[in-house]
Amino acid sequence: MKLGCQVKRWFLSLLTLAIGIGAFSQPPQADPSKYPQFAQQAPHANVKPVFISVDELVNEVTAGTKPLIIDVRSAEEYREAHILGAVSAPLDEFRAYLKNIPKDRLTVLY
């Protein structure tokens, strides 16, 4: 029963995030001045990112998929607010986390 409550709280957190993001008429733009060392980098040739919406993520969670959600913002931003259950892996430390990312599980970076 306790696990069910945690899943419901996690889902409600995602749903709240989806509603909050949906309230903006124009999606917020990333501020490359916060991360100048990463602003102009392209993904590695073997990495093919797939972009999904918050609605698609909510659908994955409600379908029973347990995605690994990684918050790549700064530790300070993570402490201010983050998706419940997300792991903090700031961009400047991200290389250290790569070996721990499972290849057989949906992984979402934000």
Side-chain angles (χ1 to χ4, degrees):
M1 191 71 157
K2 186 176 180 180
L3 179 62
C5 290
Q6 289 175 342
V7 170
K8 286 179 186 176
R9 276 190 290 177
W10 189 67
F11 173 72
L12 289 175
S13 295
L14 280 175
L15 185 59
T16 302
L17 177 66
I19 291 169
I21 290 174
F24 296 103
S25 60
Q26 183 176 359
Q29 300 297 314
D31 182 3
S33 66
K34 283 185 155 184
Y35 307 98
Q37 69 274 35
F38 302 110
Q40 300 303 317
Q41 290 186 3
H44 189 276
N46 294 338
V47 175
K48 302 292 183 217
V50 176
F51 297 93
I52 66 170
S53 68
V54 173
D55 292 334
E56 291 170 311
L57 178 58
V58 169
N59 289 340
E60 290 290 332
V61 171
T62 57
T65 304
K66 296 182 180 181
L68 172 59
I69 302 175
I70 303 174
D71 187 331
V72 296
R73 300 171 304 149
S74 70
E76 180 181 332
E77 290 170 306
Y78 179 84
R79 282 190 299 273
E80 286 177 11
H82 60 272
I83 296 174
L84 184 62
V87 176
S88 178
L91 280 176
D92 56 348
E93 302 170 15
F94 192 73
R95 284 196 188 273
Y97 291 92
L98 283 174
K99 63 181 177 242
N100 297 323
I101 296 175
K103 294 181 180 14
D104 61 344
R105 184 174 172 193
L106 173 64
T107 302
V108 178
L109 305 177
Y110 79 97

